[in-house]
Amino acid sequence: MSDNVTIFEMSPRDGLQNEGRAIATADKINLVNLLSGCGFSRIEVASFVSPKWVPQMADGAQVLAGIARKAGVSYTALTPNLRGLNAAIAAGADEVAIFASASEGFSQHNINCSIAQSLERFAPMLPVVRDHGLPLRAYVSCVTDCPYDGPTPPAQVADVAAKLYAMGAYEVSLGDTIGAGTPDTIAAMLRAVCDAVPARALAGHYHDTHGRACDNIVASLDFGLRSFDGSVAGLGGCPYAPGSRGNVATEDVVELLERLGYPTGIDRAALAIAAEFARALVEQTDAL
Ligand code: HMG
Ligand code: MG
């Protein structure tokens, strides 16, 4: 049990995308700079999606231009299509992520197309990603439950995850988008997905709506997963997943993993400062 676990910090993107009030670009930059001092190797700082769909992420290029880049940290961006990919590259993203859903209902609500159409949309992105030598990550949403379609069949998750992996994603992050998963449903899902994609190329992206995310991480460790997404102060939610709350708080994940004997390399004092800043940002919003 001495193997390391990587935590991928999501708060500047997944954490902030759902905030109703526009958060100043300078505050987003400050958050990323604080996170850069915590020991993360990857921080998702922006998405290059339609600003009509997610206005909060409209300033992704300015965020990437304004941050103080720290050596060894990869500043990543979420990209739904070729247009978003080109914008992310122009803005200097170090890594990009494509995202699909395992359920049709969420795919339609989130990116306005079927699962099959979303995968077709990614095809022209792949040579561009390769030409720029960018690492490609992929997300699958609604891996246990969908807010529109109900429970997601594990075979459907395995199918989408395998297709994204075959596209060249070095890691497929499994999103419990609405935090409805339990250790049992996560295990059932992973039994199917691990047959299709090596566990070391999978990450757990668990929202904590019902307080089960840490339990779901423990269940995932048993399947060999060693990469988990978190968001400081538990910030977040998806605008197209009603009732979804934040990703699991990164502080909780670090505490859990270190207690179980998995080093994370995260500086907990620096993390507490970043979490405090993130909390204050959102509290300002909630107070309005
Ligand atoms: P669409 O309306 O079907 O497609 O949107 P479109 O091509 O007709 O584009 C609509 C408008 O957006 C057009 O502008 C385009 O030019 C523009 P108009 O002509 O109306 O003025 N547009 C863009 N603008 C900027 N950047 C772009 C871009 N593409 C088109 N890249 C689309 C399709 C995918 C664009 C839209 O549905 C969209 O942006 N969806 C994003 C939704 C989103 O960001 N959701 C949250 C992130 S996913 C998530 O949180 C889950 C995750 O965390 C894992 C988990 O928890 O499960 C990853
Ligand atoms: Mg998410």
Side-chain angles (χ1 to χ4, degrees):
M1 281 230 302
S2 64
D3 43 354
N4 288 36
V5 173
T6 305
I7 302 179
F8 198 139
E9 177 57 31
M10 292 283 127
S11 56
R13 196 280 303 172
D14 209 357
L16 294 183
Q17 69 182 8
N18 204 28
E19 286 304 314
R21 180 183 66 95
I23 292 177
T25 305
D27 283 332
K28 295 177 184 173
I29 291 170
N30 282 339
L31 174 61
V32 175
N33 288 344
L34 287 170
L35 293 167
S36 294
C38 293
F40 298 109
S41 55
R42 296 172 297 172
I43 304 172
E44 195 159 88
V45 297
S47 65
F48 290 86
V49 300
S50 166
K52 289 185 180 154
W53 283 64
V54 186
Q56 187 65 259
M57 291 286 106
D59 59 353
Q62 291 94 301
V63 173
L64 273 156
I67 55 176
R69 286 171 185 254
K70 187 169 181 200
V73 182
S74 188
Y75 298 94
T76 77
L78 193 70
T79 56
N81 52 20
L82 187 57
R83 178 171 170 184
L85 172 63
N86 285 329
I89 291 170
D94 298 316
E95 170 178 322
V96 292
I98 50 179
F99 55 108
S101 172
S103 68
E104 290 293 348
F106 185 70
S107 186
Q108 290 292 349
H109 281 84
N110 193 42
I111 48 175
N112 204 24
C113 63
S114 69
I115 299 169
Q117 286 167 331
S118 74
L119 299 174
E120 280 165 26
R121 228 180 237 174
F122 299 144
M125 300 167 73
L126 306 179
V128 180
V129 170
R130 270 195 301 273
D131 287 351
H132 285 81
L134 291 176
L136 177 71
R137 198 175 194 236
Y139 293 94
V140 184
S141 287
C142 299
V143 296
T144 62
D145 298 84
C146 170
Y148 306 102
D149 298 352
T152 307
Q156 223 163 280
V157 187
D159 181 55
V160 176
K163 286 177 174 150
L164 293 169
Y165 187 59
M167 286 182 187
Y170 72 90
E171 186 169 83
V172 178
S173 179
L174 302 166
D176 177 10
T177 315
I178 56 170
T182 64
D184 285 347
T185 58
I186 290 284
M189 179 273 294
L190 286 176
R191 261 191 291 281
V193 175
C194 289
D195 276 347
V197 179
R200 292 296 177 134
L202 295 170
H205 176 105
Y206 302 144
H207 287 254
D208 205 19
T209 315
H210 300 291
R212 302 305 304 272
C214 281
D215 298 336
N216 294 338
I217 288 174
V218 172
S220 307
L221 287 167
D222 289 343
F223 282 83
L225 274 68
R226 294 293 180 270
S227 178
F228 296 98
D229 299 350
S231 175
V232 285
L235 247 55
C238 175
Y240 298 102
S244 76
R245 297 254 284 273
N247 293 89
V248 62
T250 308
E251 310 86 283
D252 293 351
V253 182
V254 172
E255 203 273 325
L256 171 76
L257 292 170
E258 303 269 343
R259 183 160 46 79
L260 294 176
Y262 296 94
T264 62
I266 303 300
D267 176 339
R268 290 166 80 164
L271 189 64
I273 293 168
E276 193 47 50
F277 181 81
R279 202 171 293 114
L281 265 189
V282 176
E283 275 163 11
Q284 275 172 33
T285 305
D286 290 347
L288 292 173

